[in-house]
Amino acid sequence: MQGIVRLGAAVAVVYLIVGGAIQEAAAQSPQAAVAERQALMRANGGAMQILAPIVRGAQPWNSSIVAQASRTLVEDATKGKALFVAGTGPDRVTTNALPSIWERKAEFDAIFDRMTAAATNLVRLAEANDQAGFAAAFPAVGQTCGACHTPFRKPSN
Amino acid sequence: MRRVAEASRRLRGVLAVAFVAFAAVAISAGTAHASGDRDRGAYLFAAGGCAGCHTDTKGAGQLLAGGRDIKTPFGVFYGPNITAHPERGIGRWSDADFVRAMRQGRRPDGGHYFPVFPYASYTKMTDRDLLDLKAYVFSLPVSDRPNKPHDVAFPFNVRALVFGWKLLNFEPGEYRPDPARSDAVNRGAYLADALGHCAECHSPRDRLGGIDANLRYAGDRNHAGAGIRVPNITPDPDTGIGKWSEDDLDAFLSMGMLPSGDFAGGEMGEVIANSTSKLTAADRAAMIAYLRQLKPVVHRVRGAPAQ
């Protein structure tokens, strides 16, 4: 009986140590969070660079390319929202993210949700091969980019 | 008896006519401020970017109720309440008061407005546009939010000194189309210079806050006295927007997208959301045509405008 208790305690201790280590590894350094955010934003920019000329008629319509780029936007919006955790602001690390993000977090998160919804709509329209509908829905995604960069990103110099 | 009945009928007729006349007068008095066309005014309101400085967006304030901070090298100004509230807004202003404020930079009591209110641009608006704009502003919900005093140090807080500034920097009068230019370029000039007041931020200023005429539209390295860089938007290929295609410019003004795929934020993000995205495609094209024909000015604001 005592042996079982001892074994149980040992398992619990090992579990706590290993679990703690795993958790530690999962929590990013602020620098890593900023690097990941920036990579994600560049990917968004890349997707928009693919989509905008097609929407504006400078490149031919291709539903699979358009759907793929739209899916990138959906994924990035979902991931991006989770990367602005407390302690990754300009007081801790070099970043263009403004402190207003954490002062008005609900408003900030809501813009990401709007982007996810607007980009999901783009994926649907691309998969339906609805070129006109896609062109009409495209600016709504762009608006979420500007709506967030205006109050929450440091102007670039 | 019949005469009495007839007299009574007549009296009733007279009263009915009098009532209708009175009602007509009352209704016209009630809408006396709406001499302009509200729908045209709504478009001009967007093109003029009035909401930006007169709305405390950060504090989720009511449209035009004021309180937005405007940082300048001279101190911080707070946009006033310009809803039609009779005491705390501009509800008692006559058409003439409104036109004088926008065209002359004068308050109804004759005092001078600080030029942070871009009347040096709005002065170029036509009378008709000013009255339509007023009709729209007066149709919006009123707010009793009190104005916040400006936080500006002496001597820049002395209104009387603005008189001197105006002598140096202010030329009142509405825009006169140049017959040598195309209609589109004239329209673009009106949109950019009178309504959009683009040069107010896209030009450097001297120590007294006057725009440097030689570098008009050539960008500012020290916007708001805070080192904020505002791009050169003359057609110089290396330091301005000479390498941007028409489509690049339209994508930027219509939704804020830069050629890099990035999207504008900051103050230009506001301008795009409030103003340029709301212009008709023809008006945006006119604005671009106007910017395209400006004299290219070599003035490096930063490495290069974002590409």
Side-chain angles (χ1 to χ4, degrees):
Chain A
M1 184 65 195
Q2 220 175 15
I4 290 172
V5 169
R6 230 180 263 158
L7 183 67
V11 166
V13 166
V14 167
Y15 178 78
L16 282 175
I17 290 168
V18 172
I22 287 168
Q23 219 165 26
E24 188 63 30
Q28 278 180 315
S29 71
Q31 287 79 3
V34 169
E36 198 171 338
R37 292 194 305 234
Q38 289 178 346
L40 208 122
M41 292 298 171
R42 271 195 296 276
N44 280 336
M48 294 310 273
Q49 267 182 314
I50 291 168
L51 293 174
I54 295 175
V55 168
R56 301 175 67 82
Q59 293 289 329
W61 172 259
N62 179 322
S63 63
S64 66
I65 289 176
V66 165
Q68 188 52 44
S70 302
R71 277 192 283 272
T72 301
L73 295 175
V74 175
E75 282 166 28
D76 288 358
T78 317
K79 276 193 232 159
K81 185 178 156 187
L83 287 173
F84 290 85
V85 293
T88 61
D91 53 332
R92 296 283 298 276
V93 61
T94 305
T95 173
N96 290 329
L98 290 176
S100 50
I101 291 173
W102 293 275
E103 291 156 16
R104 294 150 64 188
K105 196 64 178 20
E107 192 187 330
F108 176 82
D109 286 346
I111 300 174
F112 263 121
D113 291 343
R114 264 167 48 210
M115 179 181 171
T116 305
T120 303
N121 190 34
L122 288 189
V123 173
R124 184 182 63 79
L125 292 161
E127 285 171 349
N129 203 21
D130 181 352
Q131 187 177 354
F134 191 94
F138 180 71
V141 178
Q143 277 154 16
T144 63
C145 304
C148 198
H149 291 173
T150 296
F152 296 122
R153 183 177 72 171
K154 191 173 142 194
S156 65
N157 271 330
Chain B
M1 194 61 200
R2 213 191 297 160
R3 232 187 262 165
V4 172
E6 200 179 331
S8 143
R9 218 170 25 237
R10 250 190 232 156
L11 183 63
R12 255 182 282 165
V14 168
L15 282 176
V17 168
F19 175 77
V20 168
F22 173 78
V25 168
I27 288 166
S28 73
T31 55
H33 58 77
S35 56
D37 177 336
R38 183 190 177 278
D39 294 338
R40 275 193 91 247
Y43 186 75
L44 296 162
F45 178 82
C50 316
C53 291
H54 288 287
T55 309
D56 176 18
T57 313
K58 266 184 271 177
Q62 185 182 323
L63 182 64
L64 298 191
R68 193 252 165 87
D69 55 327
I70 304 155
K71 296 184 184 95
T72 76
F74 312 104
V76 181
F77 292 87
Y78 294 93
N81 179 343
I82 57 162
T83 69
H85 191 279
E87 279 88 34
R88 290 181 172 159
I90 62 168
R92 294 222 172 93
W93 286 23
S94 66
D95 287 353
D97 288 338
F98 190 84
V99 170
R100 187 164 61 160
M102 299 285 282
R103 171 125 342 113
Q104 308 285 343
R106 304 287 290 266
R107 291 146 49 110
D109 68 7
H112 298 287
Y113 283 115
F114 295 113
V116 64
F117 166 36
Y119 52 79
S121 296
Y122 294 147
T123 189
K124 298 186 176 83
M125 288 175 68
T126 63
D127 282 348
R128 182 188 172 196
D129 282 0
L130 288 171
L131 294 179
D132 289 350
L133 177 61
K134 176 171 179 271
Y136 177 70
V137 169
F138 273 58
S139 75
L140 296 171
V142 300
S143 161
D144 63 358
R145 178 174 175 148
N147 284 330
K148 187 167 176 181
H150 302 313
D151 186 9
V152 177
F154 182 83
F156 302 108
N157 58 354
V158 180
R159 284 190 187 277
L161 292 180
V162 173
F163 176 73
W165 185 92
K166 282 178 164 175
L167 285 178
L168 293 169
N169 299 299
F170 179 50
E171 228 178 293
E174 72 180 74
Y175 177 71
R176 302 269 173 229
D178 179 350
R181 289 167 160 175
S182 70
D183 287 350
V185 170
N186 274 314
R187 175 67 180 161
Y190 186 73
L191 287 162
D193 290 346
L195 289 166
H197 59 282
C198 314
E200 301 274 352
C201 293
H202 284 280
S203 317
R205 291 175 181 271
D206 60 28
R207 284 202 310 206
L208 292 177
I211 285 178
D212 181 339
N214 293 322
L215 293 176
R216 195 173 168 81
Y217 282 114
D220 187 7
R221 295 182 181 131
N222 190 24
H223 177 61
I228 297 167
R229 318 259 168 157
V230 182
N232 177 347
I233 54 170
T234 73
D236 180 63
D238 297 319
T239 64
I241 56 169
K243 286 182 184 147
W244 289 47
S245 70
E246 315 288 305
D247 200 54
D248 288 341
L249 289 166
D250 190 70
F252 183 69
L253 293 175
S254 62
M255 58 179 180
M257 184 169 154
L258 293 154
S260 65
D262 188 9
F263 277 73
E267 292 182 13
M268 194 62 203
E270 267 186 275
V271 171
I272 290 159
N274 290 341
S275 297
T276 58
S277 67
K278 295 185 176 168
L279 295 177
T280 62
D283 271 353
R284 248 192 327 270
M287 196 184 250
I288 292 167
Y290 171 65
L291 294 176
R292 285 290 210 203
Q293 59 82 61
L294 291 174
K295 186 169 72 85
V297 180
V298 180
H299 183 236
R300 194 169 295 279
V301 170
R302 49 181 156 191
Q307 286 280 340

